[in-house]
Amino acid sequence: MNTSPAPVSHALLARALDTVSESSLITDAEQRIIYANGAFTAVTGYSGQDVMGRNCRFLQGPGSDTLTVAALRMTLARGETFRGEILNYRMDGTPFWNALTVSPLRDGDGTVTHFVSVQRDVTAQKSLRDRLRFLALHDPVTGLPNRTALDRYLCELARRHAGGAGHAAVGVIDLDDFKPVNDTYGHEAGDALLMEFARRLRLKMRETDFLARLGGDEFVIVIEDLDPDAAQEQLGGILARLHEAVDTAMSLSPTVSVQIRMSLGLALCSVDSGDAVLRRADAVLYDLKSRKANRDQWWQLDDTAKASARGSGGPETLQAGPNEPVPGTGLSAKALRDRLFTGGLQMYFQPVMDLRNEKIHLFEALARLCLEDGTVLLPGAFLPQLNQEDIDQLFRDGLEQTLKQLADWDRQGNRLRASVNLHPSTLLNPECPHWVASALERHNIAPHRLVLELLEAPVEDRESQRRIFDELLALGVGMAQDDLGAGHSSIRRLTALAFDTVKIDHKITAQLSTSPITTLTFLASMITMGQDMGWQVVAEGLEDSGATEAATILGVPYGQGYHLGRPMPAKHVLAWISAVPSTRRQDTIGTFLGALTFHWQFVRLGSPHPGPLEACPLTGFLAVTGSAQEAKTWHQQQHSSAGQHLPPSRQLLQWLTERVTGNRGVAPGAATAGCGSTSIHPGNPEFFVLPSDL
């Protein structure tokens, strides 16, 4: 009996390869394509008919490394297997990194008859490295180096000083008037103040100085190149310039400006560790602030090794007593709570838009307190006055109003979805799933039309939270992580709980105008992570056309912010829907931030712009805005031959960044500080996160 396996048909092989998730090609001995599977089409955009008979070289472009291309050709010419990574281009011109394995097939005589290639898009892995580098070393609010980056810098500083290379002073800065701003105007205003302070201080620093944020309103500055015998005199001139950062009021909104002061404690570096120097500087600062009302100057230097322990009090609370007036309201805390739960709660609705097609994704329901005189208070005015029982009741009342409104819109022929904020402490209440289920049933709303947005707050009982979270998921409602980047969220929380939506905090997107490169890196990384984790990623805080255009060009799926739609009473929603305008043309660039985002996509991959110069959207933008000839020349060179585009690419990136931030005084070469290196550039940390493989 013949037990040989039956021959496999070409049709069967093709069907089998089409089930493989990685791109696969088969070529003849002359490397002409004779088969491409479905995954290849999904990654590149080219169909089997588009590529049949062509050499794979058509995927290469001006940014493809010539040495890698040569190695590929030589390896295949020898009839050997090639493995490597190469920059390729999709059908629409966008670049991607391709991990490529090409193996020869031989006949019975050993002659190569075909080549089989397996390809994998590894752009996400490269972006992940940038994302981890950013998250590990930067403060999300100001874009400054964080404590980890500071520790590294101080270690390097100590090493250099051990060899006798100059002297430096380490200073701890504290904003004297930060808490009243937070208490009066809210934490959003506080963050705006921190961002503006950091921006101003960077402009006043020397190129050799280093600035980091410890947290809260504390910053650390390192001032180098000091003479230890004349440090006091040298510092006088340097610090006088730094103090100009707070000499004028800071605008937090069109109607709010504040004047702040700062205190600075300094210690000269010695053989101490970084932590020891910081403790000495911190002790000086504490002594200086204790004499704030009766001191000669705003800074103090201690060049000794003495240190004093700094006391620490308990956490501050914003909650007023029951009969004390709440700042900015004219009412007591008790009066606010009474009004909230006796008809004062009103849910406003803000649209979340699909940036890919400008359609409404859902409406977020936001709590507002309407006083009897018509005044509308934001949550920052009344939430701090609520206890845990109040917070639970606020969730139940807000959920009830939201679902009732969805049912009302259903009866008018408008089937919409909505999200409601959920405080993490309410998620610990075992009754929470019952509240949600009964409200959905009472208003006949399908669970998938409701999303619960888990707010930012530290929670200790993670196991109970996970159990109730899973019960809510079992109901069929969506679960979103709100305010990613606001402070308490972490990769652990995102991976421990099965969120289907992640919302990037508005404080992050607000940094597009002050730290665009670091912010674009973070957003791009979140898009990649969202694709890998199956999340719907929403960018909050799209307050102007520039931020909206940047998010759209970058590929953020969903957006929310004043530019797309403001929070509005329910009675205005349907009229708004019928009149919702288009925010931008998809085939044009209209803002400098959009232009920067477009160019940055190619810079991070070390790739020139594909296609003809006249068809590039950046060409039209530079012409319409009357941009400088040097910028047009740099852009023209992005469409030139391989290798010639890199220096002008960085120059164009810096030029566009300066137009976005308004900072035209960046030191020459600052934009290239992060290129080819992972060191921190002390004068301009904005450019630290540029990819090191440029």
Side-chain angles (χ1 to χ4, degrees), residues 147-185:
R147 177 59 189 262
T148 302
L150 173 65
D151 289 343
R152 293 186 183 185
Y153 187 86
L154 291 177
C155 287
E156 173 62 19
L157 186 69
R159 185 191 64 78
R160 285 190 278 114
H161 285 187
H167 290 79
V170 175
V172 180
I173 299 173
D174 182 89
L175 301 183
D176 296 340
D177 311 296
F178 181 69
K179 185 179 182 299
V181 173
N182 258 349
D183 291 353
T184 304
Y185 302 110

Side-chain angles (χ1 to χ4, degrees), residues 270-290:
S270 60
V271 295
D272 294 340
S273 66
D275 279 343
V277 174
L278 279 177
R279 285 196 299 270
R280 289 171 51 211
D282 199 43
V284 175
L285 173 66
Y286 182 67
D287 177 65
L288 183 66
K289 286 183 71 69
S290 69

Side-chain angles (χ1 to χ4, degrees), residues 81-123:
T81 297
F82 172 84
R83 294 182 178 86
E85 293 183 357
I86 188 170
L87 187 70
N88 281 166
Y89 292 82
R90 300 183 178 89
M91 189 175 186
D92 63 4
T94 57
F96 70 100
W97 280 98
N98 190 0
L100 180 65
T101 300
V102 186
S103 301
L105 295 181
R106 303 177 186 274
D107 60 15
D109 297 327
T111 302
V112 174
T113 61
H114 297 83
F115 290 94
V116 176
S117 71
V118 177
Q119 307 175 28
R120 184 161 48 93
D121 182 351
V122 294
T123 306

Side-chain angles (χ1 to χ4, degrees), residues 247-285:
D247 282 349
T248 58
M250 298 187 183
S251 177
L252 306 184
S253 73
T255 59
V256 176
S257 294
V258 297
Q259 184 80 52
I260 63 167
R261 297 181 300 167
M262 61 180 177
S263 300
L264 170 65
L266 288 152
L268 289 179
C269 289
S270 60
V271 295
D272 294 340
S273 66
D275 279 343
V277 174
L278 279 177
R279 285 196 299 270
R280 289 171 51 211
D282 199 43
V284 175
L285 173 66

Side-chain angles (χ1 to χ4, degrees), residues 5 23 43 53 217 220 222 257 268 287 293 298 311 330 344 356 373 379 462 490 629 644 680:
S23 302
V43 170
D217 61 340
V220 170
V222 181
S257 294
L268 289 179
D287 177 65
W298 65 279
R356 297 161 296 187
D373 64 359
R462 296 184 180 274
S490 65
Q629 183 58 46
Q644 301 302 312
I680 297 175

Side-chain angles (χ1 to χ4, degrees), residues 128-439:
L128 182 61
R129 289 198 291 269
D130 291 338
R131 176 183 63 81
L132 292 175
R133 190 156 60 238
F134 172 79
L135 291 176
L137 296 172
H138 286 80
D139 165 50
V141 174
T142 63
L144 293 175
N146 62 10
R147 177 59 189 262
T148 302
L150 173 65
D151 289 343
R152 293 186 183 185
Y153 187 86
L154 291 177
C155 287
E156 173 62 19
L157 186 69
R159 185 191 64 78
R160 285 190 278 114
H161 285 187
H167 290 79
V170 175
V172 180
I173 299 173
D174 182 89
L175 301 183
D176 296 340
D177 311 296
F178 181 69
K179 185 179 182 299
V181 173
N182 258 349
D183 291 353
T184 304
Y185 302 110
H187 292 288
E188 292 183 13
D191 286 343
L193 173 61
L194 294 173
M195 288 188 285
E196 175 63 11
F197 174 72
R199 186 190 71 82
R200 290 189 183 188
L201 207 57
R202 283 203 300 256
L203 292 177
K204 302 299 180 183
M205 291 164 50
R206 303 174 306 162
E207 188 175 349
T208 55
D209 298 336
F210 176 83
L211 180 66
R213 183 187 177 208
L214 284 183
D217 61 340
E218 286 197 333
F219 298 79
V220 170
I221 188 167
V222 181
I223 301 172
E224 297 200 56
D225 300 328
L226 295 175
D227 180 348
D229 296 325
Q232 190 89 15
E233 293 75 13
Q234 281 182 283
L235 285 170
I238 296 171
L239 297 180
R241 177 172 170 80
L242 290 181
H243 194 271
E244 293 174 5
V246 295
D247 282 349
T248 58
M250 298 187 183
S251 177
L252 306 184
S253 73
T255 59
V256 176
S257 294
V258 297
Q259 184 80 52
I260 63 167
R261 297 181 300 167
M262 61 180 177
S263 300
L264 170 65
L266 288 152
L268 289 179
C269 289
S270 60
V271 295
D272 294 340
S273 66
D275 279 343
V277 174
L278 279 177
R279 285 196 299 270
R280 289 171 51 211
D282 199 43
V284 175
L285 173 66
Y286 182 67
D287 177 65
L288 183 66
K289 286 183 71 69
S290 69
R291 298 181 286 102
K292 186 171 62 174
N294 184 26
R295 67 189 188 191
D296 297 328
Q297 61 183 20
W298 65 279
W299 62 275
Q300 180 176 321
L301 172 67
D302 180 11
D303 58 358
T304 71
K306 297 178 181 179
S308 60
R310 179 175 180 176
S312 63
E316 295 173 327
T317 175
L318 297 178
Q319 189 171 36
N323 297 313
E324 295 177 6
V326 176
T329 69
L331 298 175
S332 68
K334 181 179 184 303
L336 282 182
R337 289 196 298 270
D338 290 345
R339 174 63 183 168
L340 183 66
F341 297 117
T342 56
L345 175 64
Q346 183 177 349
M347 303 305 287
Y348 275 45
F349 294 86
Q350 185 176 29
V352 177
M353 304 296 291
D354 190 325
L355 298 179
R356 297 161 296 187
N357 55 28
E358 298 188 338
K359 294 183 178 179
I360 298 168
H361 177 56
L362 56 74
F363 282 89
E364 179 179 0
L366 300 164
R368 299 289 187 263
L369 175 55
C370 300
L371 303 183
E372 293 181 356
D373 64 359
T375 301
V376 178
L377 299 181
L378 299 178
F382 57 85
L383 281 181
Q385 317 310 322
L386 305 183
N387 57 35
Q388 184 55 58
E389 184 179 349
D390 294 333
I391 291 174
D392 289 348
Q393 187 62 48
L394 177 62
F395 169 71
R396 297 176 66 181
D397 291 351
L399 178 66
E400 183 72 17
Q401 280 196 29
T402 301
L403 296 182
K404 181 180 183 299
Q405 188 58 61
L406 286 182
D408 288 345
W409 286 330
D410 284 349
R411 287 188 287 271
Q412 299 176 62
N414 294 274
R415 195 171 182 83
L416 303 172
R417 299 176 66 233
S419 63
V420 177
N421 291 323
L422 174 65
H423 196 278
S425 60
T426 300
L427 187 60
L428 294 175
N429 193 314
E431 292 297 310
C432 183
H434 171 71
W435 296 337
V436 175
S438 60

